[in-house]
Amino acid sequence: MTIVAELPTLDFNSDIYKDAYSRINAIVIEGEQEAYDNYIDIAEMIPSDKEELIRLAKMEFRHKKGFESCGKNLSVTPDMEFAQKYFAQLHGNFQKAKAEGKVVTCLLIQSLIIEAFAIAAYNIYIPVADPFARKITEGVVKDEYLHLNYGEEWLKGHFEESKEELQIANAENLPIIWKMLNEVEKDAKELGMPKEELVEDFMISYGEALANIGFSTRDIMKMSSYGLRGV
């Protein structure tokens, strides 16, 4: 017998829902803009893959436009000032790594952490989204798996020389994701997205990516534990 969890009944037009949506919608819009900018930067760092990375960047920009339309559909103005502050720490770490020429760290932040974070959020959101947003998000999440796969494949091909930098970058950046999840726990819950489910889905996607790159189960458990420092 399969037990199916009952989905919450949400009023997409309530003031409480729209208030929470103004921040969550802004986060996904800003997240896609960050992704666009990051892939453009990585394209300069990996000239041999420039064409592919610019293609990924353009996909992220289309996602941003799609999520902007989701907000308009509910007559919600996204709180972009909140979203920019929300991503400030990850943004700063990416820019610092870029300035130091650390392509491995840049790939971990964008192609592993941010993509796994997005996949988790979109997978949990789709069943509880309004019909318009559900259709948009279903299309977006398929693309995000491609982006996660790019980072996996590049890092897998450079695993031995990248391993130490990946572990350092993981320790510096994974705790930030936990802080980010804690910061929007209340808003996410209003949208029918419990924090526990977001954490579980993120850790599955992130752990699978680390395994595909070449890390052992023991390494992955150790690396994943760094997230607890952000709790």
Side-chain angles (χ1 to χ4, degrees):
M1 179 179 173
T2 303
I3 298 173
V4 179
E6 190 174 332
L7 295 175
T9 301
L10 302 170
D11 181 356
F12 303 124
N13 293 307
S14 72
D15 290 341
I16 292 173
Y17 186 92
K18 287 187 174 185
D19 178 58
Y21 195 86
S22 70
R23 288 178 289 279
I24 299 296
N25 183 233
I27 287 168
V28 296
I29 291 169
E30 179 63 23
E32 299 294 350
Q33 180 64 53
E34 291 278 335
Y36 170 81
D37 293 339
N38 290 349
Y39 280 122
I40 292 294
D41 284 341
I42 295 169
E44 296 303 317
M45 301 172 83
I46 311 177
S48 58
D49 289 1
K50 187 170 185 177
E51 190 175 328
E52 171 66 6
L53 285 157
I54 288 174
R55 186 178 76 86
L56 296 181
K58 287 178 178 177
M59 289 166 74
E60 301 287 22
F61 196 77
R62 288 198 298 274
H63 297 166
K64 176 191 171 186
K65 292 298 180 185
F67 287 126
E68 285 175 342
S69 68
C70 292
K72 288 175 184 172
N73 181 60
L74 291 180
S75 301
V76 171
T77 301
D79 186 344
M80 297 310 299
E81 184 179 350
F82 170 83
Q84 283 155 12
K85 289 178 183 174
Y86 185 76
F87 275 99
Q89 201 172 356
L90 272 185
H91 175 81
N93 284 4
F94 182 95
Q95 291 303 313
K96 181 173 180 285
K98 173 193 160 190
E100 295 171 355
K102 292 182 175 178
V103 67
V104 170
T105 299
C106 288
L107 282 170
L108 177 120
I109 292 172
Q110 176 55 53
S111 293
L112 300 190
I113 286 183
I114 292 180
E115 296 295 357
F117 184 61
I119 286 168
Y122 300 159
N123 279 338
I124 302 302
Y125 177 59
I126 285 169
V128 294
D130 66 89
F132 182 87
R134 181 180 301 127
K135 188 174 180 181
I136 297 287
T137 311
E138 284 173 343
V140 168
V141 79
K142 290 174 187 173
D143 290 345
E144 302 299 9
Y145 280 107
L146 295 176
H147 300 176
L148 182 66
N149 182 253
Y150 171 82
E152 284 179 14
E153 291 303 312
W154 194 95
L155 292 166
K156 182 179 179 180
H158 300 79
F159 181 64
E160 289 307 320
E161 65 267 35
S162 301
K163 187 176 180 181
E164 185 179 354
E165 187 179 330
L166 281 169
Q167 290 172 319
I168 294 168
N170 171 83
E172 290 174 348
N173 292 283
L174 192 59
I176 298 171
I177 288 292
W178 258 243
K179 290 176 185 174
M180 292 168 77
L181 283 165
N182 289 337
E183 195 174 343
V184 293
E185 181 176 1
K186 187 168 180 265
D187 287 335
K189 190 175 180 182
E190 291 294 346
L191 270 60
M193 302 163 66
K195 179 186 156 189
E196 298 76 20
E197 292 183 20
L198 289 166
V199 169
E200 182 182 3
D201 207 284
F202 170 77
M203 290 313 301
I204 290 170
S205 292
Y206 189 60
E208 286 177 349
L210 294 176
N212 291 340
I213 289 165
F215 284 104
S216 68
T217 301
R218 183 181 178 85
D219 284 336
I220 294 166
M221 289 179 71
K222 184 179 178 182
M223 291 171 75
S224 297
S225 72
Y226 281 96
L228 299 173
R229 300 183 182 189
V231 176

